[in-house]
Amino acid sequence: MTYRVQQLDVRVETKTLDNVFINTVVTIQYQVLTDKAYEAFYELTNPSQQITSHVFDVMRSQFTTLELDAVFVAKEELAMAVKTYLSKIMGQYGYQIMQVLITDLDPDQRVKNAMNEINSSKRLKFAVAERAEGQKILKVKSAEAEAEAKYLSGVGVAKQRKAIVDGLRASIVDFSQSVDGSSSKDVMDLLLLTQYFDCIRDVGSAPNCKTTFVPSSKTSQDGFRNSVIQAGFAT
């Protein structure tokens, strides 16, 4: 008999609430109480076998109330239950239970593969949901950006037209004051003619530009025929 702390590893195979067999390794660290050395020496012939039997009893009664996933979560509670029971039983024989550890939980390999598949499927589902949410946010932001761009474009066009109108108004006023006898209509005709020539110049200077000249005529047939002919020469 020794007063040093001893360690006993007990391997227990038992079944969970969801009918899964699992191998569990329970490590018990115990010590003989100095004031009960007589009981420890004379009342037990094989203390390790006694401890092993009680561990089997506690573990098999506890595991049948838990499903496999809950077993991994409740490992500390299971160890405490074993320690409490052993301390009560072995204390009367002069043994102190120092520590109880559940060092291994090992279900069947097929069960572990199934658990990994379930976890992988959950993560894949989460990844797909996150990807869809990201695409949704991207589309919403793109639509918001497009709406903002159209709004700003409309504001720009409105300001441009306002600037053109203000410029025309100033030109008409200046021309009317500078040329005696000119009317507002004369000024507008001159401005429109100037813009017409500017448009012709821009169209003619554009690369790869094809222009069809449509002159006025007395009959629609002559006008259409002349337009087609001039279009052929222009191209």
Side-chain angles (χ1 to χ4, degrees), residues 75-92:
K75 187 174 68 171
E76 297 296 330
E77 289 79 2
L78 292 172
M80 183 58 64
V82 174
K83 181 180 179 181
T84 301
Y85 187 80
L86 286 179
S87 297
K88 179 181 178 182
I89 298 299
M90 299 303 295
Q92 61 186 342

Side-chain angles (χ1 to χ4, degrees), residues 117-135:
E117 286 293 333
I118 293 173
N119 188 42
S120 176
S121 299
K122 288 182 179 179
R123 293 182 180 274
L124 181 60
K125 181 180 178 181
F126 178 77
V128 171
E130 288 296 314
R131 188 181 302 112
E133 186 66 21
Q135 292 177 353

Side-chain angles (χ1 to χ4, degrees), residues 215-235:
S216 59
S217 61
K218 296 181 180 180
T219 61
S220 58
Q221 292 81 2
D222 293 339
F224 180 75
R225 179 177 60 81
N226 294 331
S227 298
V228 172
I229 294 173
Q230 292 184 11
F233 283 116
T235 56

Side-chain angles (χ1 to χ4, degrees), residues 7-231:
Q7 179 169 305
L8 176 65
D9 293 329
V10 180
R11 179 174 291 273
V12 183
E13 182 182 16
T14 185
K15 186 176 69 170
T16 62
L17 181 62
D18 49 352
N19 297 320
V20 176
F21 282 89
I22 182 171
N23 291 311
T24 307
V25 177
V26 183
T27 299
I28 302 96
Q29 297 173 353
Y30 62 97
Q31 184 182 31
V32 175
L33 296 171
T34 55
D35 57 340
K36 290 188 177 183
Y38 179 85
E39 290 86 348
F41 185 79
Y42 288 104
E43 294 190 10
L44 284 180
T45 58
N46 192 340
S48 61
Q49 185 177 356
Q50 185 85 358
I51 292 174
T52 299
S53 299
H54 289 299
V55 170
F56 269 83
D57 182 59
V58 175
M59 295 297 289
R60 286 177 175 171
S61 63
Q62 293 288 329
F63 269 53
T64 54
T65 63
L66 299 172
E67 294 185 351
L68 181 60
D69 292 336
V71 169
F72 287 91
V73 177
K75 187 174 68 171
E76 297 296 330
E77 289 79 2
L78 292 172
M80 183 58 64
V82 174
K83 181 180 179 181
T84 301
Y85 187 80
L86 286 179
S87 297
K88 179 181 178 182
I89 298 299
M90 299 303 295
Q92 61 186 342
Y93 297 115
Y95 287 90
Q96 178 185 6
I97 305 301
M98 307 295 295
Q99 188 63 271
V100 175
L101 303 171
I102 296 180
T103 57
D104 190 20
L105 293 169
D106 186 24
D108 185 82
Q109 184 62 42
R110 289 174 298 178
V111 175
K112 290 191 286 186
N113 292 339
M115 293 175 67
N116 290 333
E117 286 293 333
I118 293 173
N119 188 42
S120 176
S121 299
K122 288 182 179 179
R123 293 182 180 274
L124 181 60
K125 181 180 178 181
F126 178 77
V128 171
E130 288 296 314
R131 188 181 302 112
E133 186 66 21
Q135 292 177 353
K136 174 185 174 183
I137 294 174
L138 183 62
K139 290 182 179 179
V140 170
K141 293 299 181 181
S142 178
E144 291 177 353
E146 184 178 358
E148 184 68 18
K150 289 182 178 180
Y151 170 76
L152 294 176
S153 177
V155 172
V157 171
K159 290 183 178 180
Q160 181 185 16
R161 290 176 178 175
K162 184 177 182 301
I164 292 173
V165 171
D166 292 341
L168 290 175
R169 184 186 300 112
S171 298
I172 292 172
V173 172
D174 293 341
F175 191 89
S176 299
Q177 293 176 354
S178 300
V179 180
D180 295 334
S182 61
S183 64
S184 299
K185 183 179 182 305
D186 296 334
V187 178
M188 286 300 299
D189 291 341
L190 179 61
L191 290 175
L192 290 175
L193 184 61
T194 303
Q195 290 185 354
Y196 171 76
F197 286 126
D198 291 340
C199 178
I200 295 298
R201 181 196 60 197
D202 294 337
V203 170
S205 60
N208 301 323
C209 179
K210 296 181 180 180
T211 307
T212 301
F213 295 97
V214 183
S216 59
S217 61
K218 296 181 180 180
T219 61
S220 58
Q221 292 81 2
D222 293 339
F224 180 75
R225 179 177 60 81
N226 294 331
S227 298
V228 172
I229 294 173
Q230 292 184 11

